[in-house]
Every structure is written in structure tokens, then in C-alpha cells.
């Protein structure tokens, strides 16, 4: 499908001191929008919604770390009927008493107007981390699971490098190679990439042995690499 024919558009802003990417998924037909991981500068998010002439009807959370959720309340103040979506394992990990969450499991889907959004359970950074897949255009919003030429930390509370190993391999094997990834932080030389490009240049996708991956993620990577990330050839 030509991207001009897709039922949705993805708008990206880099906000806050941690180079967060905040996404607004605009459904063209209904003029509804979902904001993904609202944080740091809610006024900028609200202004973007006004500029695109959309109503924020949904908030999607990839995970519950503070730098991805600290704008949720401000969005809900302006859009009190917006639905808050999070995977059930992440809500349990977070432990916050949420007023009206829509709890999901991996494999669930939702409709944003004419736009289908699939919830993928991608643990490793946190127990209930999620990626959001829009199959019409094979776009994947990856949060802190998969970065361009990197992946999320596994040494924080709830992190598990063994789970991350299986999650990353599952994304590579389970989605089309042309899938476009939209990460949660601007940590690389480019803002987005394809899974095929990551398979070639992301060192975390070069491991076939779990123990070697865990050692690299937990002990080697942060010592030998720094942002902005660049591709590393397989050999």
C-alpha cells in the first residue's frame, strides 16, 4: 500500500531532557488520535493535536517508567474521556491505582477509527513492555524495547536480559523485514529504521546465543558504545 493511502499518519516530537520521542497517531477518517507515551511537555503534545485538528481519544503506554508517563495526567485534564491503554503485566508491575485503564494482553487489537493497532507484549526492559504495530503500513512503535541500532536497558527494576533476547528475536522473526520501527528515544544517527536494517546493523540482533547476548547487554555494550548509535556490521 502507498503510504499516502494509509488510514493513519504518525506525528513525532522529541521532547524533554532524555530525548524522548512522543508519537501522535492520527486516524484520517475519524479525526481521532492516540498519543503514545505522553511526557515532559504536554503543552507541545496538546498543541500538535490542535494543529492537526484531531481529538485525543486514547493514550497508549509502552511501559510505566517516569520519563514515558509524566504527561498522562495533563492530557487527561484536557481530554477527560480519553482511554488509557496498558498491558496488564505492566499495570501490575507499575502498581499505580489507575482510575480507568484499559488492560490488554499481547495479541490484542484496538481500532482507532479505521486504524488497527496491535498490542505486542515485548518484555525485557520491563515485565509488561509493549510495542504497537499498525499492520496496514507495518509501522511499529517500540518504546524502550528496540532503538535504532540499540535496545533498552535491562539493569533497572523489572529488567530481564534473557527476556529481552527472546523479545528481539521474536520481533525480527515475527514481523516483515520492511517494518518501520519508531523508537522511544532519539539515540541514533537517524530517527527511524526498518527491521531489515536493524538485522544488519543492530548489534543486539547479531546474537544467536542467549548467554552471549546477556553478557554483552549487561557488561560490554555501555562500555564500548555511546550515542548517537551507528550501525555495526554483522562481521
Amino acid at each position: 500500500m502507498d503510504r499516502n493511502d494509509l488510514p493513519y499518519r504518525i506525528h513525532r516530537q522529541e521532547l524533554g531532557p532524555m530525548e524522548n520521542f512522543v508519537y501522535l497517531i492520527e486516524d484520517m477518517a475519524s479525526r481521532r488520535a492516540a498519543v503514545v507515551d505522553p511526557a515532559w511537555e504536554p503543552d507541545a503534545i496538546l498543541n500538535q493535536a490542535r494543529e492537526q485538528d484531531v481529538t485525543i481519544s486514547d493514550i497508549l503506554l509502552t511501559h510505566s517508567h517516569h520519563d514515558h508517563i509524566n504527561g498522562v495526567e495533563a492530557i487527561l485534564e484536557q481530554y477527560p474521556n480519553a482511554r488509557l491503554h496498558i498491558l496488564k503485566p505492566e499495570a501490575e508491575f507499575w502498581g499505580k491505582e489507575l482510575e480507568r485503564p484499559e488492560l490488554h494482553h499481547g495479541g490484542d487489537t484496538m481500532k482507532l477509527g479505521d486504524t488497527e493497532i496491535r498490542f505486542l507484549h515485548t518484555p525485557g526492559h520491563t515485565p509488561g513492555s509493549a510495542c504497537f504495530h499498525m499492520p496496514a503500513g507495518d509501522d511499529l512503535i517500540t518504546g524502550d524495547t528496540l532503538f535504532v541500532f540499540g535496545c533498552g536497558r535491562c539493569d533497572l527494576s523489572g529488567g530481564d536480559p534473557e527476556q529481552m533476547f527472546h523479545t528481539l528475536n521474536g520481533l525480527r522473526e515475527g514481523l516483515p523485514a520492511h517494518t518501520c520501527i519508531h523508537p522511544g528515544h532519539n539515540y541514533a544517527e537517524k530517527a527511524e529504521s526498518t527491521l531489515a536494517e536493524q538485522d544488519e546493523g543492530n548489534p543486539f540482533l547479531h546474537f544467536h546465543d542467549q548467554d552471549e547476548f546477556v553478557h554483552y547487554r549487561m557488561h560490554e555494550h555501555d562500555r564500548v558504545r555511546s550515542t548517537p548509535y551507528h550501525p555495526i556490521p554483522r562481521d
Side-chain angles (χ1 to χ4, degrees):
M1 177 182 289
D2 188 301
R3 294 203 68 84
N4 292 325
D5 295 331
L6 292 175
Y8 64 88
R9 290 190 296 180
I10 299 175
H11 305 278
R12 178 183 67 234
Q13 292 191 87
E14 181 183 335
L15 301 175
M18 302 177 72
E19 302 173 285
N20 285 68
F21 280 144
V22 176
Y23 297 97
L24 192 72
I25 306 170
E26 171 193 355
D27 179 71
M28 308 292 287
S30 67
R31 312 307 306 146
R32 290 170 52 195
V35 59
V36 181
D37 290 356
W40 299 116
E41 300 175 45
D43 284 346
I45 301 168
L46 295 168
N47 286 338
Q48 186 177 59
R50 284 189 286 267
E51 289 169 2
Q52 300 301 326
D53 191 28
V54 294
T55 297
I56 296 176
S57 60
D58 298 88
I59 299 171
L60 306 177
L61 300 182
T62 64
H63 64 296
S64 59
H65 283 162
H66 178 73
D67 63 305
H68 289 257
I69 54 92
N70 61 54
V72 168
E73 292 182 0
I75 301 299
L76 289 174
E77 286 178 5
Q78 295 298 314
Y79 294 95
N81 294 322
R83 300 178 301 168
L84 181 66
H85 302 268
I86 189 170
L87 289 193
K88 185 176 181 181
E90 189 67 10
E92 294 170 349
F93 167 71
W94 188 2
K96 180 178 173 64
E97 193 67 36
L98 300 171
E99 290 185 8
R100 52 179 182 280
E102 302 258 347
L103 300 181
H104 298 273
H105 298 278
D108 288 355
T109 63
M110 65 167 275
K111 292 298 289 286
L112 178 73
D114 290 342
T115 302
E116 180 181 331
I117 301 174
R118 294 176 57 219
F119 295 79
L120 306 183
H121 184 202
T122 54
H125 184 62
T126 62
S129 284
C131 294
F132 304 116
H133 181 224
M134 283 140 281
D138 280 317
D139 287 291
L140 185 71
I141 296 177
T142 57
D144 283 7
T145 294
L146 178 62
F147 301 135
V148 176
F149 306 125
C151 81
R153 295 174 59 175
C154 300
D155 59 343
L156 302 174
S157 175
D160 187 323
E162 294 183 359
Q163 285 188 326
M164 182 68 85
F165 172 76
H166 293 290
T167 283
L168 296 181
N169 280 287
L171 291 176
R172 175 177 55 191
E173 296 167 3
L175 293 171
H178 63 258
T179 299
C180 183
I181 70 163
H182 305 268
H185 292 272
N186 187 17
Y187 286 165
E189 61 180 9
K190 56 197 296 187
E192 59 189 46
S193 180
T194 64
L195 278 178
E197 189 174 33
Q198 293 310 295
D199 192 31
E200 289 298 319
N202 190 324
F204 291 107
L205 291 175
H206 296 170
F207 291 93
H208 297 286
D209 181 86
Q210 176 180 284
D211 291 340
E212 291 180 358
F213 173 91
V214 170
H215 179 77
Y216 180 72
R217 170 65 280 182
M218 302 302 286
H219 303 291
E220 291 292 328
H221 176 268
D222 293 352
R223 183 176 62 83
V224 300
R225 295 184 81 208
S226 59
T227 57
Y229 295 144
H230 302 279
I232 295 179
R234 274 191 171 274
D235 56 1

Coordinates of all heavy atoms in Angstrom, one line a residue, residues 25-63:
I25 N -0.7 9.3 16.8 CA -1.2 8.5 15.7 C -2.6 9.1 15.3 O -3.5 9.1 16.1 CB -1.4 7.0 16.1 CG1 -0.1 6.4 16.7 CG2 -1.9 6.2 14.9 CD1 -0.3 5.1 17.3
E26 N -2.6 9.7 14.1 CA -3.8 10.4 13.7 C -4.6 9.4 12.7 O -4.1 9.0 11.7 CB -3.4 11.6 12.9 CG -4.5 12.3 12.2 CD -4.0 13.4 11.2 OE1 -2.8 13.6 11.2 OE2 -4.9 13.9 10.5
D27 N -5.9 9.2 13.1 CA -6.7 8.4 12.2 C -7.4 9.4 11.2 O -8.1 10.3 11.7 CB -7.8 7.6 12.9 CG -8.7 6.9 12.0 OD1 -8.3 5.9 11.4 OD2 -9.9 7.3 11.9
M28 N -7.2 9.3 10.0 CA -7.6 10.3 9.0 C -9.1 10.4 8.9 O -9.6 11.5 8.8 CB -7.0 9.9 7.6 CG -5.5 9.6 7.6 SD -4.6 11.1 8.0 CE -4.7 12.0 6.4
A29 N -9.8 9.3 9.0 CA -11.3 9.4 8.7 C -12.0 9.9 9.9 O -12.9 10.8 9.8 CB -11.8 8.0 8.4
S30 N -11.7 9.5 11.1 CA -12.5 9.9 12.3 C -12.0 11.1 13.0 O -12.7 11.7 13.8 CB -12.4 8.7 13.3 OG -11.1 8.6 13.8
R31 N -10.7 11.6 12.6 CA -10.1 12.7 13.2 C -9.8 12.5 14.7 O -9.7 13.4 15.5 CB -10.9 14.0 13.1 CG -11.4 14.3 11.7 CD -10.3 14.3 10.7 NE -9.2 15.2 11.0 CZ -7.9 15.0 10.7 NH1 -7.6 13.8 10.1 NH2 -7.0 15.8 11.1
R32 N -9.8 11.2 15.1 CA -9.3 10.8 16.4 C -7.8 10.6 16.4 O -7.2 10.3 15.4 CB -10.0 9.5 16.9 CG -11.5 9.6 17.1 CD -12.1 8.3 17.3 NE -11.4 7.5 18.3 CZ -11.6 6.2 18.4 NH1 -12.4 5.5 17.6 NH2 -10.9 5.5 19.4
A33 N -7.2 10.6 17.6 CA -5.8 10.4 17.7 C -5.5 9.7 19.0 O -6.2 9.8 20.0 CB -5.0 11.8 17.6
A34 N -4.4 8.9 18.9 CA -3.8 8.3 20.1 C -2.4 8.9 20.3 O -1.6 8.9 19.4 CB -3.8 6.8 19.9
V35 N -2.2 9.3 21.6 CA -0.8 9.7 21.9 C -0.1 8.6 22.6 O -0.7 7.9 23.5 CB -0.9 11.0 22.8 CG1 -1.6 10.8 24.1 CG2 0.5 11.5 23.1
V36 N 1.1 8.4 22.2 CA 1.9 7.3 22.8 C 3.0 7.9 23.7 O 3.8 8.7 23.3 CB 2.6 6.5 21.7 CG1 3.4 5.3 22.3 CG2 1.6 5.9 20.7
D37 N 3.0 7.4 25.0 CA 3.9 7.8 26.0 C 4.0 9.3 26.2 O 5.1 9.9 26.0 CB 5.3 7.2 25.6 CG 5.4 5.7 25.8 OD1 4.4 5.1 26.2 OD2 6.4 5.1 25.5
P38 N 2.9 10.0 26.5 CA 3.0 11.4 26.7 C 3.9 11.8 27.9 O 3.6 11.3 29.0 CB 1.5 11.8 26.9 CG 0.9 10.6 27.5 CD 1.6 9.4 26.8
A39 N 4.8 12.7 27.7 CA 5.8 13.0 28.8 C 6.4 14.4 28.5 O 6.5 14.8 27.4 CB 6.9 11.9 28.9
W40 N 6.9 15.0 29.6 CA 7.8 16.1 29.6 C 7.1 17.5 29.2 O 7.1 18.4 30.0 CB 9.0 15.9 28.8 CG 9.9 14.8 29.2 CD1 10.1 13.6 28.5 CD2 10.5 14.7 30.5 NE1 10.9 12.8 29.3 CE2 11.2 13.4 30.5 CE3 10.6 15.5 31.6 CZ2 11.9 12.9 31.6 CZ3 11.4 15.0 32.7 CH2 12.0 13.8 32.7
E41 N 6.5 17.5 28.1 CA 6.0 18.8 27.6 C 4.5 18.6 27.0 O 4.3 18.6 25.8 CB 6.9 19.4 26.5 CG 8.3 19.7 27.0 CD 9.2 20.1 25.8 OE1 8.8 21.0 25.1 OE2 10.3 19.7 25.8
P42 N 3.6 18.4 27.9 CA 2.2 18.1 27.5 C 1.6 19.2 26.6 O 0.8 19.0 25.7 CB 1.4 17.9 28.8 CG 2.3 18.4 29.9 CD 3.7 18.3 29.4
D43 N 2.1 20.5 26.9 CA 1.5 21.6 26.1 C 1.9 21.4 24.6 O 1.1 21.7 23.7 CB 2.0 22.9 26.6 CG 1.3 23.4 27.9 OD1 0.3 22.8 28.2 OD2 1.8 24.3 28.5
A44 N 3.1 20.9 24.4 CA 3.5 20.7 23.0 C 2.7 19.6 22.3 O 2.4 19.7 21.1 CB 5.0 20.3 22.9
I45 N 2.4 18.6 23.1 CA 1.5 17.5 22.6 C 0.1 18.0 22.3 O -0.5 17.7 21.2 CB 1.5 16.3 23.6 CG1 2.9 15.8 23.9 CG2 0.5 15.2 23.1 CD1 3.0 14.8 25.1
L46 N -0.4 18.8 23.2 CA -1.8 19.3 23.0 C -1.8 20.3 21.8 O -2.7 20.3 21.0 CB -2.2 20.0 24.3 CG -2.4 19.1 25.5 CD1 -2.6 19.9 26.8 CD2 -3.6 18.2 25.3
N47 N -0.7 21.1 21.7 CA -0.7 22.0 20.5 C -0.6 21.2 19.2 O -1.2 21.6 18.2 CB 0.6 22.9 20.7 CG 0.4 24.0 21.7 OD1 -0.7 24.3 22.1 ND2 1.5 24.5 22.2
Q48 N 0.1 20.1 19.2 CA 0.2 19.3 18.0 C -1.2 18.8 17.6 O -1.6 18.8 16.4 CB 1.2 18.2 18.2 CG 1.4 17.4 16.9 CD 2.5 16.3 17.1 OE1 2.4 15.5 17.9 NE2 3.6 16.4 16.3
A49 N -1.9 18.3 18.6 CA -3.3 17.8 18.4 C -4.2 18.9 17.8 O -4.9 18.7 16.9 CB -3.9 17.2 19.6
R50 N -4.0 20.1 18.3 CA -4.8 21.2 17.8 C -4.4 21.6 16.4 O -5.3 21.8 15.5 CB -4.7 22.4 18.7 CG -5.5 22.3 20.0 CD -5.5 23.6 20.8 NE -4.3 23.9 21.4 CZ -4.0 23.5 22.7 NH1 -4.9 22.9 23.4 NH2 -2.8 23.8 23.2
E51 N -3.1 21.6 16.1 CA -2.6 21.9 14.8 C -3.1 20.9 13.8 O -3.4 21.2 12.6 CB -1.1 21.9 14.8 CG -0.5 23.1 15.5 CD 1.0 23.0 15.7 OE1 1.6 22.0 15.2 OE2 1.6 23.9 16.4
Q52 N -3.2 19.6 14.2 CA -3.7 18.6 13.2 C -5.2 18.4 13.2 O -5.8 17.6 12.5 CB -3.1 17.2 13.6 CG -1.6 17.2 13.6 CD -1.0 17.5 12.2 OE1 -1.6 17.2 11.2 NE2 0.1 18.2 12.2
D53 N -5.9 19.2 14.1 CA -7.3 19.2 14.2 C -7.9 17.8 14.5 O -8.8 17.3 13.9 CB -8.0 19.8 12.9 CG -9.5 20.0 13.0 OD1 -9.9 20.3 14.2 OD2 -10.2 19.9 12.0
V54 N -7.3 17.2 15.6 CA -7.7 15.9 16.0 C -8.1 16.0 17.5 O -7.7 16.8 18.2 CB -6.7 14.8 15.8 CG1 -6.4 14.6 14.3 CG2 -5.4 15.2 16.5
T55 N -8.9 15.0 17.9 CA -9.3 14.8 19.3 C -8.5 13.6 19.8 O -8.6 12.5 19.3 CB -10.8 14.6 19.4 OG1 -11.5 15.7 19.0 CG2 -11.2 14.3 20.9
I56 N -7.8 13.8 20.9 CA -7.1 12.7 21.6 C -8.1 11.8 22.3 O -8.7 12.2 23.3 CB -6.0 13.2 22.5 CG1 -4.9 14.0 21.8 CG2 -5.4 12.0 23.3 CD1 -3.9 14.6 22.6
S57 N -8.3 10.6 21.7 CA -9.3 9.7 22.3 C -8.7 8.6 23.1 O -9.3 7.9 23.8 CB -10.2 9.1 21.2 OG -9.4 8.4 20.3
D58 N -7.3 8.4 22.9 CA -6.6 7.3 23.5 C -5.2 7.7 23.9 O -4.6 8.5 23.2 CB -6.6 6.1 22.5 CG -8.0 5.6 22.2 OD1 -8.6 6.1 21.2 OD2 -8.5 4.7 22.9
I59 N -4.7 7.1 25.0 CA -3.4 7.2 25.4 C -2.8 5.8 25.5 O -3.3 4.9 26.2 CB -3.3 7.9 26.8 CG1 -3.8 9.3 26.7 CG2 -1.8 7.9 27.3 CD1 -4.0 10.0 28.1
L60 N -1.7 5.6 24.7 CA -1.1 4.2 24.7 C 0.3 4.3 25.5 O 1.1 5.2 25.2 CB -0.8 3.8 23.3 CG -2.0 3.8 22.3 CD1 -1.5 3.4 20.9 CD2 -3.1 2.9 22.8
L61 N 0.5 3.4 26.4 CA 1.7 3.4 27.2 C 2.6 2.2 26.8 O 2.1 1.0 27.0 CB 1.4 3.4 28.7 CG 0.6 4.6 29.2 CD1 0.5 4.5 30.7 CD2 1.3 5.9 28.8
T62 N 3.8 2.4 26.3 CA 4.7 1.3 26.1 C 5.2 0.6 27.4 O 5.4 -0.6 27.4 CB 5.9 1.7 25.2 OG1 6.7 2.6 26.0 CG2 5.5 2.3 23.9
H63 N 5.4 1.5 28.4 CA 5.7 1.0 29.7 C 5.6 2.1 30.7 O 5.1 3.2 30.3 CB 7.2 0.4 29.7 CG 8.2 1.4 29.5 ND1 8.4 2.1 28.3 CD2 9.3 1.9 30.2 CE1 9.4 2.9 28.3 NE2 10.0 2.8 29.5

